[in-house]
Amino acid sequence: MIQIIQSYGTMILRALGQTLILCLLSLCVAMVIGLIFALLNVSHNRICNFLGTLYVDAIRGVPLIVLAYFIYFGVPAGMKMMGAVDFRLTALQAGTAALSMNCGAYMAEIIRAGIQSVDRGQMEASRSLGLTYGQSMRLVVLPQAIKTMIPSIINQFIITLKDTSILSVIGFPELTNMGKTISGNTFKSLETWAIIGIVYMIVIVSLSKAAKRLERKLNVGR
Amino acid sequence: MIKENGKVMVHVENLKKNFDKLEVLKDISIDITEGEVVVLLGPSGSGKSTFLRCINRLEEATSGKIVVDGMEITDKHTDINKAREDIGMVFQHFNLFNNKNVIDNIMLAPVELKKMTKDEAREKAMALLQRVGLSDKAEAYPSQLSGGQKQRVAIARALAMNPNVILFDEPTSALDPEMVGEVLDVMKELAGAGMTMIVVTHEIGFAREVADRIVFVDGGYIVEQGTPNEIINHPKEKRTIDFLNKVL
């Protein structure tokens, strides 16, 4: 075990870095996607509602691994058919796209639930003063929704961090992929996967501890 | 006394409102004059609140015409946000913005809608807080206030936009009995200062003392209207008499 850490330690850390980059990029994009589709879902326009529901249902109905294959292999093949021969996606691009689309759908549901948890009277009071729907959302409803959303968002962050491991299938050099390489080179499966597992655990546990603290801090102002 | 000669502030003509198949307002027509205090009385479910909410288009009228200070609320082309700037509303459940403290609740709309600079809005907000007797609560959050205090802040918030008319939707119904008085006092002071007010309430005492006109609504129609003396002491319609017998 110590031997593995000695010879592969820096590579494991680098792979962890890749995992975190992929995760953070995806989360940022997912927040935007989630907000957009949540707003579509709570709007009073039927077409908007339809689009919002369609996206969430479609993405939730497809396993992440299939989505990843589709984007990494399927989309360039499709582009080729349409004449764009040089179109290529790096594993990072495809991985970020797949993960953020996936996470975005769940985020949309979390944000929608958060918005709907805010009493309707808040929006009405804001509108009655002459503020627009957008101003009311931004200044009154969303700031209140975020507080109730935080635990679910943290939970989703953790799920997404773990889901990065699925993207080892498209060859992205993240932590799980590194585990495969190391166990292949050393034939020490037990030690390798124990180490990889512990690295994930350390990161996730410390993240969720930090998140808990943040949550408590935000609740003080209430 | 019904003020007959003043400028018409709120004009409602053949207003109908359905919720799906349920007809809540069947045919309401009324003119409310500038400076008038009109109290709407009626049993629950009679459509009083719905009527009030149609005036600032929180509910869309099914048919009919509403004009407030020259702006046709029922016209799709009217900029409703602009119109609402001049129509204040006070809600049964206060609806103070929970994420903002008292002074920010009051300053939000004037600043955001560029009616005033931040400094002007702050000055105005402090003056209003003094008017409703809550100068010491400027920095408090809604969760730290009693119901009566919340409603007084809500009135100050509505006043911050210098509205031409204020709609009160059962402003004391969610209050503990000992807090009703402080809110009614603020409303009395407003009425005395010449504010046009449309008030849905069950406080007969307030109606008797402050209203220029009482409108009795039942079943989606205006059943009868007149001065407090006419309606409370000498009601003509059977439904009004039945209602008053129950509440008095």
Side-chain angles (χ1 to χ4, degrees):
Chain A
M1 192 130 151
I2 290 175
Q3 205 188 333
I4 292 180
I5 294 175
Q6 272 171 351
S7 29
Y8 292 98
T10 43
M11 288 173 74
I12 290 175
L13 284 181
R14 202 171 300 144
L16 175 63
Q18 293 289 312
T19 293
L20 291 176
I21 287 172
L22 178 63
C23 181
L24 284 176
L25 270 178
S26 306
L27 284 172
C28 292
V29 182
M31 287 296 284
V32 177
I33 294 178
L35 185 60
I36 291 170
F37 283 97
L39 288 174
L40 286 180
N41 264 325
V42 297
S43 86
H44 295 290
N45 183 313
R46 274 206 201 140
I47 299 166
C48 290
N49 290 166
F50 174 74
L51 289 175
T53 321
L54 184 71
Y55 176 78
V56 172
D57 284 350
I59 295 294
R60 290 206 298 187
V62 176
L64 177 56
I65 195 165
V66 175
L67 186 63
Y69 279 142
F70 180 82
I71 292 174
Y72 190 55
F73 299 115
V75 170
M79 295 298 282
K80 205 165 283 173
M81 270 194 282
M82 293 198 303
V85 187
D86 295 333
F87 186 82
R88 282 234 167 83
L89 284 173
T90 65
L92 178 64
Q93 289 166 341
T96 307
L99 207 52
S100 43
M101 282 171 76
N102 182 272
C103 180
Y106 292 97
M107 211 62 98
E109 284 297 279
I110 292 169
I111 297 173
R112 179 190 58 76
I115 290 173
Q116 285 172 345
S117 77
V118 177
D119 182 64
R120 217 164 53 113
Q122 297 284 310
M123 176 60 93
E124 286 185 349
S126 177
R127 295 304 306 274
S128 80
L129 289 163
L131 294 162
T132 64
Y133 180 83
Q135 287 171 320
S136 307
M137 248 323 161
R138 181 167 54 85
L139 299 166
V140 175
V141 177
L142 281 176
Q144 295 182 54
I146 283 170
K147 288 198 175 174
T148 60
M149 282 163 9
I150 282 174
S152 312
I153 288 181
I154 289 166
N155 200 28
Q156 188 57 43
F157 277 16
I158 290 170
I159 292 173
T160 303
L161 184 55
K162 291 204 259 189
D163 278 353
T164 54
S165 65
I166 291 176
L167 298 171
S168 60
V169 299
I170 58 170
F172 185 72
E174 47 68 67
L175 206 47
T176 303
N177 212 353
M178 183 54 58
K180 279 193 212 165
T181 312
I182 298 171
S183 77
N185 289 352
T186 60
F187 301 107
K188 288 183 175 163
S189 296
L190 179 68
E191 292 88 337
T192 306
W193 292 115
I195 290 171
I196 299 291
I198 288 169
V199 173
Y200 273 117
M201 207 157 61
I202 290 171
V203 173
I204 287 169
V205 170
S206 38
L207 270 183
S208 57
K209 285 266 187 289
K212 273 269 150 58
R213 195 170 300 167
L214 172 79
E215 197 182 319
R216 232 173 301 144
K217 220 179 214 169
L218 283 173
N219 272 330
V220 171
R222 287 212 133 170
Chain B
M1 263 269 298
I2 298 177
K3 295 174 186 169
E4 305 249 324
N5 305 321
K7 168 185 156 194
V8 173
M9 184 58 78
V10 180
H11 169 77
V12 180
E13 200 177 309
N14 303 115
L15 173 65
K16 290 188 179 64
K17 172 66 187 173
N18 302 345
F19 289 108
D20 292 323
K21 289 204 177 104
L22 182 69
E23 288 182 294
V24 179
L25 301 178
K26 288 173 184 155
D27 186 5
I28 303 260
S29 296
I30 189 171
D31 277 330
I32 292 164
T33 321
E34 189 170 19
E36 200 178 5
V37 177
V38 174
V39 170
L40 299 174
L41 289 181
S44 14
S46 59
K48 312 178 297 286
S49 285
T50 305
F51 169 68
L52 213 58
R53 292 163 60 85
C54 283
I55 294 176
N56 66 353
R57 217 205 268 172
L58 281 185
E59 302 289 351
E60 197 100 30
T62 305
S63 69
K65 186 174 169 185
I66 300 171
V67 182
V68 179
D69 196 27
M71 285 198 143
E72 192 174 339
I73 303 296
T74 37
D75 182 350
K76 286 259 186 292
H77 302 292
T78 301
D79 179 356
I80 189 63
N81 297 317
K82 201 90 204 129
R84 281 174 179 155
E85 289 180 7
D86 298 327
I87 310 173
M89 187 162 202
V90 174
F91 298 84
Q92 181 179 358
H93 295 288
F94 331 122
N95 298 346
L96 292 184
F97 305 135
N98 297 318
N99 57 325
K100 300 196 179 297
N101 64 16
V102 165
I103 189 107
D104 287 341
N105 260 275
I106 302 173
M107 287 168 60
L108 177 74
V111 172
E112 201 63 32
L113 298 168
K114 311 218 164 28
K115 287 250 152 176
M116 300 169 202
T117 65
K118 263 209 159 123
D119 290 339
E120 287 166 357
R122 184 173 299 275
E123 203 174 308
K124 169 110 187 165
M126 286 312 298
L128 286 169
L129 279 176
Q130 183 149 30
R131 190 167 169 191
V132 301
L134 289 170
S135 310
D136 53 331
K137 297 290 183 190
E139 303 299 326
Y141 276 83
S143 58
Q144 299 164 322
L145 301 179
S146 73
Q149 292 171 332
K150 283 184 200 176
Q151 197 61 298
R152 285 187 280 154
V153 173
I155 293 172
R157 179 175 69 178
L159 286 171
M161 290 297 288
N162 294 321
N164 295 323
V165 49
I166 304 188
L167 315 171
F168 291 86
D169 189 4
E170 303 202 25
T172 57
S173 299
L175 295 178
D176 292 337
E178 76 266 27
M179 292 172 184
V180 170
E182 60 189 72
V183 171
L184 292 183
D185 286 344
V186 170
M187 290 169 64
K188 271 178 219 165
E189 187 265 319
L190 265 183
M195 176 61 72
T196 313
M197 296 161 64
I198 309 178
V199 187
V200 171
T201 185
H202 298 290
E203 297 292 331
I204 303 287
F206 174 82
R208 195 200 305 264
E209 194 183 335
V210 181
D212 295 309
R213 174 160 43 143
I214 294 180
V215 176
F216 181 73
V217 180
D218 190 16
Y221 294 103
I222 292 177
V223 176
E224 71 175 301
Q225 53 180 310
T227 61
N229 182 40
E230 284 165 358
I231 300 296
I232 297 174
N233 300 334
H234 310 288
K236 292 188 200 73
E237 298 289 330
K238 185 175 175 306
R239 279 189 286 177
T240 318
I241 296 165
D242 287 348
F243 174 79
L244 289 170
N245 279 338
K246 272 181 220 151
V247 297
L248 282 179

